[in-house]
Amino acid sequence: EDIESVKRFSSQIAVILKNLKLYEEIKEKTNELERKDEIMREDLQMAKRIQTSVISDEYKRIDSLDIHVHFKPVIEVGGDFYEIFAVKNNYYRFFISDAIGHGVQAALTTMLIKTEFDKIKSLHSPPNELLKVFNNAFLNTYQNLNVFFTCVIVDIDINNNLILFSSAGHPRQYLLNNGNVIPLASTGTIIGFKKNMDYELHYQKFINGSKLVL
């Protein structure tokens, strides 16, 4: 009986030691995952600060339009990007883009979008011509990355009470004139799909009291 008791005790000790070893391994893996998770959170926060910092607030200096902006990615960062600025006196350009994908990958694409758009954004050309130049420039530089995005350019011409509108695969935008809701549909294909794409240019009246929802 003493021998059997010793065997049972030894077996129990072995199980305890095995469980302790397993516990230590689980604890080590958990700590490793927590460290990686903390690094990812810090990276996301840095990416969020970078993305927020490159979005212009120049629109706050525009007095002739009443502009309201809300920017809220699903997570810390995302594939949405916008710019609002004056091309010349009483002529303002609105640009919105949405990179295909989510999270950091899409956020990195917005940096590429900004880089290329900055080169052409102040050209005195209508939105459809800008989109064609933009599409070709993006494909020439980043074709091997296989990145795609939708976007829209809306120019507001205060002097002539007009908006000039062109869209590359972007969802509908809306213009409210005298209580009428006017959908502004896509006028061409997404950016990054094919070179030398043509985009249509649409005009609408933009008078005192008109509202543009992008």
Side-chain angles (χ1 to χ4, degrees):
E1 290 183 3
D2 290 340
I3 293 174
E4 289 300 319
S5 296
V6 170
K7 286 182 178 179
R8 285 196 298 272
F9 181 72
S10 298
S11 177
Q12 291 170 355
I13 292 297
V15 170
I16 292 171
L17 291 173
K18 184 177 180 180
N19 288 339
L20 283 172
K21 183 179 179 182
L22 180 60
Y23 170 77
E24 290 299 328
E25 289 176 352
I26 292 173
K27 184 178 179 181
E28 183 179 346
K29 289 292 184 183
T30 301
N31 290 338
E32 182 181 347
L33 288 172
E34 288 177 348
R35 287 193 297 270
K36 289 182 177 179
D37 187 57
E38 180 63 26
I39 291 171
M40 289 179 63
R41 283 199 300 268
E42 291 176 356
D43 287 347
L44 279 173
Q45 287 300 319
M46 176 59 74
K48 180 181 180 179
R49 290 195 293 271
I50 292 172
Q51 187 173 51
T52 303
S53 70
V54 300
I55 294 178
S56 172
D57 62 355
E58 184 178 341
Y59 70 90
K60 294 179 180 179
R61 296 187 289 274
I62 297 175
D63 295 327
S64 52
L65 296 171
D66 186 13
I67 301 173
H68 298 268
V69 172
H70 183 66
F71 180 72
K72 186 176 178 60
V74 174
I75 60 173
E76 281 84 351
V77 293
D80 299 303
F81 180 75
Y82 70 88
E83 285 217 34
I84 305 167
F85 58 96
V87 177
K88 55 185 178 180
N89 188 40
N90 284 333
Y91 193 102
Y92 306 102
R93 179 157 290 159
F94 289 66
F95 172 77
I96 295 179
S97 67
D98 184 6
I100 292 177
H102 302 282
V104 174
Q105 178 184 347
L108 289 172
T109 302
T110 66
M111 300 298 101
L112 305 181
I113 293 170
K114 174 177 172 52
T115 297
E116 293 305 312
F117 187 66
D118 279 348
K119 298 175 183 178
I120 65 167
K121 68 180 187 179
S122 296
L123 294 177
H124 291 187
S125 301
N128 62 321
E129 293 182 12
L130 282 178
L131 286 182
K132 185 170 186 176
V133 171
F134 192 29
N135 180 58
N136 285 343
F138 205 89
L139 278 167
N140 287 336
T141 308
Y142 307 111
Q143 188 168 15
N144 294 334
L145 296 181
N146 290 320
V147 291
F148 310 97
F149 60 94
T150 67
C151 65
V152 57
I153 299 176
V154 180
D155 287 358
I156 296 181
D157 184 348
I158 298 294
N159 291 332
N160 294 301
N161 295 323
L162 285 175
I163 64 168
L164 294 78
F165 170 86
S166 194
S167 167
H170 209 65
R172 285 185 176 184
Q173 314 301 296
Y174 293 93
L175 175 66
L176 284 69
N177 270 344
N178 294 324
N180 297 316
V181 179
I182 304 170
L184 305 177
S186 173
T187 64
T189 193
I190 61 175
I191 301 293
F193 180 69
K194 185 180 178 181
K195 286 184 179 180
N196 299 318
M197 298 299 296
D198 290 318
Y199 296 88
E200 296 177 12
L201 178 66
H202 291 183
Y203 294 86
Q204 290 288 345
K205 284 289 184 182
F206 193 77
I207 56 178
N208 188 37
S210 295
K211 294 179 175 65
L212 182 65
V213 182
L214 304 177

